[in-house]
Amino acid sequence: MTDQELVKRAFEMHKFSYVPYSHFPVGAALLCGDGRVFTGCNVENAAYGSTICAERTAVVKAVSEGCREGWTAIANAGQGEDFCWPCGACRQMLYEFAPNLRVLAARGSGEFQVVPLSELLPHGFGPRSLQ
């Protein structure tokens, strides 16, 4: 799957977002080494702390389907003018399973940037940190 196709899958998730408070839909598409793609959207809650981001939705879907390793890239797509980067909590969740993940951050125009997760979360804390 190309980077452009992965970003397109992330944008397609906007239609499923539940965003009655921020009105800012975000979609994510997580690519696994075996070619499977797990998608997610943000789901807001009146108790704001219970809101879940698109990236974490995709992560939970992948893990719950038995895919815990081999992740190669995640696309994150918002509708704003700025690139839609994962929040800190999402960066930590991604690092748990794929510290070498490629992160594709897209903005509303469809343009995107690609950086390694290690650049977004330098000196990350993960399973190896507990050894």
Side-chain angles (χ1 to χ4, degrees):
M1 172 170 285
T2 68
D3 287 351
Q4 290 78 13
E5 292 169 326
L6 193 63
V7 168
K8 182 176 185 266
R9 293 283 302 271
F11 273 112
E12 289 170 355
M13 294 307 297
H14 285 185
K15 64 185 171 199
F16 299 113
S17 290
Y18 177 73
V19 291
Y21 309 106
S22 73
H23 307 288
F24 189 82
V26 177
L30 176 64
L31 177 63
C32 298
D34 63 6
R36 288 186 289 172
V37 176
F38 294 92
T39 55
C41 63
N42 52 333
V43 180
E44 295 180 348
N45 191 278
Y48 297 143
S50 297
T51 293
I52 185 167
C53 298
E55 304 93 303
R56 283 184 281 151
T57 300
V59 166
V60 170
K61 286 171 67 174
V63 172
S64 70
E65 295 294 323
C67 185
R68 295 184 182 174
E69 55 189 36
W71 302 356
T72 60
I74 189 164
N76 209 44
Q79 289 187 335
E81 292 182 20
D82 290 335
F83 293 101
C84 190
W85 298 104
C87 73
C90 289
R91 293 174 192 200
Q92 179 61 45
M93 188 82 150
L94 292 165
Y95 191 89
E96 176 77 13
F97 297 97
N100 297 314
L101 191 69
R102 293 174 55 245
V103 178
L104 291 68
R107 57 179 163 200
S109 67
E111 182 183 4
F112 62 93
Q113 295 182 342
V114 183
V115 300
L117 179 60
S118 60
E119 187 175 312
L120 296 176
L121 188 65
H123 311 291
F125 185 88
R128 294 179 68 185
S129 303
L130 297 173
Q131 298 175 356

